[in-house]
Amino acid sequence: MTAESALTPTPAANAAGLPLALDAVGGDHGAVPNVDGAVQAARAGVRVMLVGDRVKLHAELSKYPGAAGLPLEVVDAPDVIGMDEHASDVRGRKDASINVAARLVKDGQAAALISMGHSGATMAASLLILGRLPGIDRPAILTHIPAKTGTVALLDAGANADVKATYLAQWARLASTYLKVVEARENPTVGLLSIGEEDHKGNAVTLEAHALLRQQAGINFYGNVEGGDLFKGTTDIVVTDGFTGNIVLKLAEGEARVLFGWIREALGSSARSKLGGLLVRGGLRTVAEKMDPGTYGASILLGVRGLSYIGHGSADARAVKNALLRAARAHQSRLIERLSTELSGPS
């Protein structure tokens, strides 16, 4: 099974239930990849609300034969928060697409919010409109890092630059429940990112978080892990502050691009290398798929009272489709209800 096929919900997963609200004009490329990805997801049986400028979205949909018969709906939102604008703009622009999509989730008209647009605005709208789950001080972005064992769930990947130890303990509970519910990983292990695996290594926040995680019921705490452990798959989950997590994520993505550039150069350097490249093309394609952010679609913002997914601004149609499939799977798994139940229990 490929990484992408593992994301696919069961046939017609939400065809008869709530649709997903897609910020269909957000991102570097606007409506084009969003509509394309939504059409692909709709053909897989996922209901999608396309939120954005009605005229632009209908014009884009008209390019797809048979789109009128798919489970797609356009919801008008005449405003959009651009990638170069401030996240705080969500407060005064109620007709912005990200706000309209978040309200659809808040009002029970949509199952999840998905945006490839302004990540700060998506986080702000999710917090202001959806609110936090009980017992959660700050939500965190959970992203998937390709590893030797499959994938490792890393959080926070950028929502909180400055943290308290209690946040890390809360995120460990959120991520553990997420992996159990959505990915069927029983008793997932949790690692705390530090500068050494010994218990006494780390800064003040890490040392305090280590003590809290050791004491926390319901968490399978492994202990400290180092940066290389993410790619080894030493633990199922790695928790850290959003400043460090975002650097780790972008470092991994950047190194993957450079590495594949080196491989292409090496395989094209001579006639013999080109022949070898033909022989390994299939294997390299599989590796490239595992390392492509588009395979995973978008990252979930865990800790808000609703499903909220944040993707890359440069996302293509494949990434949009996979984000929608991932959100449909989480909704089908009743993730928010399960998180609420878990958080209401003993900590």
Side-chain angles (χ1 to χ4, degrees), residues 107-268:
D107 295 342
Q109 298 178 57
L113 159 65
I114 302 96
S115 177
M116 306 296 159
H118 197 304
S119 58
T122 305
M123 288 187 283
S126 298
L127 268 172
L128 291 170
I129 296 173
L130 300 179
R132 295 189 299 267
L133 285 169
I136 298 301
D137 294 311
R138 298 281 182 86
I141 297 173
L142 181 150
T143 194
H144 289 76
I145 300 289
K148 184 178 179 180
T149 54
T151 61
V152 169
L154 171 70
L155 72 167
D156 180 21
N160 305 275
D162 298 304
V163 305
K164 297 179 180 179
T166 51
Y167 301 170
L168 298 174
Q170 291 168 10
W171 299 341
R173 295 187 74 190
L174 288 170
S176 296
T177 301
Y178 173 88
L179 289 190
K180 291 175 188 175
V181 172
V182 179
E183 300 185 13
R185 296 199 210 181
E186 291 299 323
N187 200 28
T189 52
V190 177
L192 175 64
L193 190 61
S194 189
I195 56 173
E197 62 182 21
E198 297 86 358
D199 292 1
H200 63 274
K201 292 286 185 70
N203 58 20
V205 172
T206 303
L207 293 174
E208 185 181 352
H210 189 283
L212 289 174
L213 288 165
R214 282 283 183 216
Q215 301 166 5
Q216 187 158 263
I219 296 298
N220 185 6
F221 184 49
Y222 171 88
N224 286 353
V225 294
E226 299 179 20
D229 287 307
L230 274 85
F231 306 104
K232 294 176 186 176
T234 302
T235 58
D236 299 300
I237 299 161
V238 172
V239 292
T240 187
D241 62 88
F243 183 86
T244 304
N246 191 264
I247 290 174
V248 168
L249 174 62
K250 290 178 178 176
L251 175 63
E253 292 175 350
E255 181 65 14
R257 286 191 293 269
V258 170
L259 178 61
F260 272 92
W262 288 342
I263 292 172
R264 282 193 296 270
E265 289 176 7
L267 293 178

Side-chain angles (χ1 to χ4, degrees), residues 133-134 173 177 334-346:
L133 285 169
R173 295 187 74 190
T177 301
R334 301 181 65 82
L335 175 62
I336 298 301
E337 291 88 342
R338 294 286 297 275
L339 285 171
S340 297
T341 299
E342 170 67 22
L343 292 170
S344 64

Side-chain angles (χ1 to χ4, degrees), residues 11 32 47-48 68 117 130 146 176 209 258 304 310 315 342:
V32 175
R47 289 182 63 199
V48 183
L130 300 179
S176 296
V258 170
V304 293
I310 302 170
E342 170 67 22

